[in-house]
Amino acid sequence: MSKWLRNSFIILVTLFTFGVVTPSQAALLYDSSYQDRSPKKDHIEFLQTEEDYSQNDDEVSFLDGREEFIKQMVKEAEYQSYEKFGTKIKPVIEDEFNVCILPNIEAAIAEIAEQYPEEDLKKLSITESPAGGNSEKIFHILNDETKKDVIRFHVRKDHPPQQGYWFNFHFHTYHDDFQKHHELGAIYWDKNTPPKWMS
């Protein structure tokens, strides 16, 4: 597939999936520009307005705890994703993953974080091992008290006719009993069958 056709398809997929993941108001406070951001940056730059400085200490610590939670979850999500990709897939899709998929994962995590009070965020943790082989699981975020998943991040290998292989990144939430696919984006692999995960 020629490079311009591949790029055109990626743009089309991006346009079609635009708006599927809607960031919450708090997520909009984060800097979403990627020109000045290194793909491997391990933190989120929080934009503070004058109103943030006028808040009392309780509200500021609330923002700091939520920001810290999102930062830690995104860092762990990146690590778990790279572990799932393995040494054969990671070098090929790493840059595109950092630019196209990881920011959408961050937005989804921020949206989930908005649904919990800060003290409950401490009860949420990320699973420690992605699934290998042909399984879709990258990682899940679960409630440590109930041992139930809150959100599940997956990647599926798609093979549309005459189009080669694509990695379809998506997530499921507990709100609909993990039935609906919430698209994060897709990355083109090649016409050849991709290796198994974690290989």
Side-chain angles (χ1 to χ4, degrees), residues 137-195:
K137 176 186 172 188
I138 304 174
F139 65 92
H140 297 172
I141 295 177
L142 60 112
N143 184 318
D144 290 328
E145 278 187 352
T146 64
K147 302 297 182 201
K148 292 185 177 180
D149 291 339
V150 174
I151 188 168
R152 298 173 180 170
F153 289 90
H154 292 169
V155 59
R156 181 181 64 231
K157 295 176 185 176
D158 288 341
H159 187 212
Q162 308 291 320
Q163 294 183 25
Y165 286 89
W166 289 83
F167 298 132
N168 176 285
F169 292 86
H170 58 277
F171 67 94
H172 309 271
T173 69
Y174 71 97
H175 295 299
D176 60 4
D177 202 25
F178 307 103
Q179 296 303 307
K180 184 176 178 186
H181 275 66
H182 302 272
E183 297 295 325
L184 293 167
I187 297 177
Y188 179 72
W189 170 254
D190 197 295
K191 289 198 182 242
N192 298 324
T193 306

Side-chain angles (χ1 to χ4, degrees), residues 65-196:
R66 190 170 308 284
E67 178 185 352
E68 185 60 34
F69 170 79
I70 295 168
K71 173 184 169 183
Q72 186 59 39
M73 287 290 133
V74 170
K75 183 177 180 180
E76 191 62 31
E78 183 178 23
Y79 174 78
Q80 295 295 337
S81 299
Y82 290 159
E83 188 175 332
K84 178 164 185 78
F85 299 160
T87 57
K88 294 180 181 175
I89 295 175
K90 181 187 173 206
V92 179
I93 68 168
E94 179 179 9
D95 292 339
E96 202 168 349
F97 173 80
N98 285 330
V99 173
C100 299
I101 308 299
L102 196 57
N104 292 335
I105 291 175
E106 180 181 321
I109 291 172
E111 188 174 331
I112 285 292
E114 272 301 303
Q115 299 170 15
Y116 289 87
E118 182 182 1
E119 58 273 7
D120 288 348
L121 290 177
K122 296 172 185 174
K123 299 173 188 173
L124 301 180
S125 64
I126 198 165
T127 54
E128 295 185 6
S129 57
N134 289 317
S135 178
E136 292 186 10
K137 176 186 172 188
I138 304 174
F139 65 92
H140 297 172
I141 295 177
L142 60 112
N143 184 318
D144 290 328
E145 278 187 352
T146 64
K147 302 297 182 201
K148 292 185 177 180
D149 291 339
V150 174
I151 188 168
R152 298 173 180 170
F153 289 90
H154 292 169
V155 59
R156 181 181 64 231
K157 295 176 185 176
D158 288 341
H159 187 212
Q162 308 291 320
Q163 294 183 25
Y165 286 89
W166 289 83
F167 298 132
N168 176 285
F169 292 86
H170 58 277
F171 67 94
H172 309 271
T173 69
Y174 71 97
H175 295 299
D176 60 4
D177 202 25
F178 307 103
Q179 296 303 307
K180 184 176 178 186
H181 275 66
H182 302 272
E183 297 295 325
L184 293 167
I187 297 177
Y188 179 72
W189 170 254
D190 197 295
K191 289 198 182 242
N192 298 324
T193 306
K196 292 189 175 184

